[in-house]
Amino acid sequence: MDMSRCHSLAILLLAHIFALTNTFLISTPTGDCPNPATNCLDETFNKVFDNLGCLGCQTGCKAGYIMTANWKYYTTNKNITEPQWLCIPGTTCPWGHFPDKQGTLDSCPYCGDGCLNCHSFYKCEQCLLGFRLMRSNSTDGTEISHCASTGIACPVPPDHCQHSVYVVAVTGCQGCIICDTGYVSVANQKYRRASSDRTADYVYNGISISGTIELNEPRYTCVQGTTCPSGYHFVHRGELVTCEVSVNDVTVG
């Protein structure tokens, strides 16, 4: 099994196991979360627990909020500054999550790193740029799918991004396709080197990169605003929208 698949499966397995932590016996908390989740129904699990980190709003949310798995909890190895469960406004699950129940509670578990949408664990339907969809069969013959990456983080990841960004063979850092609210994903004109700056292909952490690509410049960055910057136009690719240098707004596919 290649390392990229191991990395992605490990994150998926972690998401699956810890989505169910409220069914297990949990030790006494060791302290308060340094960055506690807000709008929890109560503060029972908004604490730090040994080997689990900050569990956040595991007992549900106040009215008008839905219990949602925090993707950063899984991709930062349970960093205690990232609660496992957050309460976000609304009644529907955001991208990268699927509707489920934790007992009687409506919840939105995490699809897995790089997965745009899924309908259950190990059932990803579409991956973000920089990931590839991997399909296989489980031991009982059921088809499973997840998004694989190289596991090598971009050396200069874009700010205000809502997902992990990794280096890809040949094409370098693909950058951010889904940005925080109030930001748009914009094609970075520095991503491709000027003809005078091109070199031979080079290697970064074992990954070969084209000499036409500037690895320290993500292909897409997040720019503040709700419309494209001057000279750019929206390009729609299904659920994804980016700002590209083009004549008019277009829809692809």
Side-chain angles (χ1 to χ4, degrees):
M1 182 181 292
D2 63 55
M3 291 302 294
S4 65
R5 187 177 178 192
C6 287
H7 178 267
S8 299
L9 281 174
I11 291 177
L12 268 174
L13 182 60
L14 186 64
H16 182 58
I17 291 172
F18 286 101
L20 303 176
T21 50
N22 58 341
T23 65
F24 297 103
L25 292 175
I26 296 177
S27 61
T28 301
T30 59
D32 294 331
C33 296
N35 183 30
T38 58
N39 297 300
C40 301
L41 194 61
D42 60 54
E43 299 299 308
T44 303
F45 294 104
N46 214 2
K47 309 285 184 180
V48 175
F49 295 83
D50 282 339
N51 302 315
L52 296 175
C54 173
L55 298 184
C57 300
Q58 200 175 91
T59 54
C61 302
K62 295 177 181 178
Y65 294 83
I66 190 165
M67 181 176 157
T68 304
N70 177 9
W71 69 274
K72 292 181 180 179
Y73 172 87
Y74 301 102
T75 58
T76 59
N77 194 28
K78 295 176 286 180
N79 186 314
I80 63 171
T81 63
E82 296 293 345
Q84 181 193 7
W85 290 99
L86 304 174
C87 289
I88 65 170
T91 57
T92 58
C93 294
W95 76 272
H97 297 74
F98 63 94
D100 196 25
K101 289 281 190 181
Q102 298 292 323
T104 60
L105 300 173
D106 290 328
S107 66
C108 300
Y110 181 46
C111 288
D113 203 17
C115 182
L116 179 63
N117 53 62
C118 69
H119 54 269
S120 68
F121 292 111
Y122 298 106
K123 289 288 185 180
C124 188
E125 298 167 348
Q126 183 181 0
C127 299
L128 297 173
L129 189 67
F131 295 79
R132 65 184 187 278
L133 189 64
M134 303 289 289
R135 300 184 188 277
S136 59
N137 290 322
S138 63
T139 53
D140 64 1
T142 303
E143 183 181 88
I144 59 176
S145 56
H146 72 283
C147 297
S149 73
T150 61
I152 303 299
C154 292
V156 186
D159 294 328
H160 304 290
C161 188
Q162 290 192 4
H163 57 84
S164 304
V165 289
Y166 297 104
V167 176
V168 177
V170 181
T171 57
C173 177
Q174 296 302 288
C176 191
I177 298 299
I178 302 179
C179 301
D180 290 341
T181 301
Y183 291 80
V184 290
S185 176
V186 178
N188 180 5
Q189 295 192 54
K190 296 180 181 179
Y191 165 71
R192 297 187 186 279
R193 290 173 171 172
S195 56
S196 58
D197 296 329
R198 293 175 181 175
T199 66
D201 293 354
Y202 57 101
V203 175
Y204 177 78
N205 284 357
I207 300 175
S208 179
I209 308 296
S210 168
T212 66
I213 301 300
E214 180 52 61
L215 184 61
N216 290 327
E217 295 288 349
R219 182 176 176 183
Y220 290 94
T221 60
C222 294
V223 175
Q224 191 168 16
T226 56
T227 59
C228 292
S230 177
Y232 290 79
H233 293 82
F234 283 124
V235 173
H236 300 258
R237 298 179 178 87
E239 299 178 48
L240 301 176
V241 181
T242 58
C243 293
E244 311 279 354
V245 178
S246 60
V247 177
N248 296 300
D249 290 2
V250 296
T251 299
V252 179

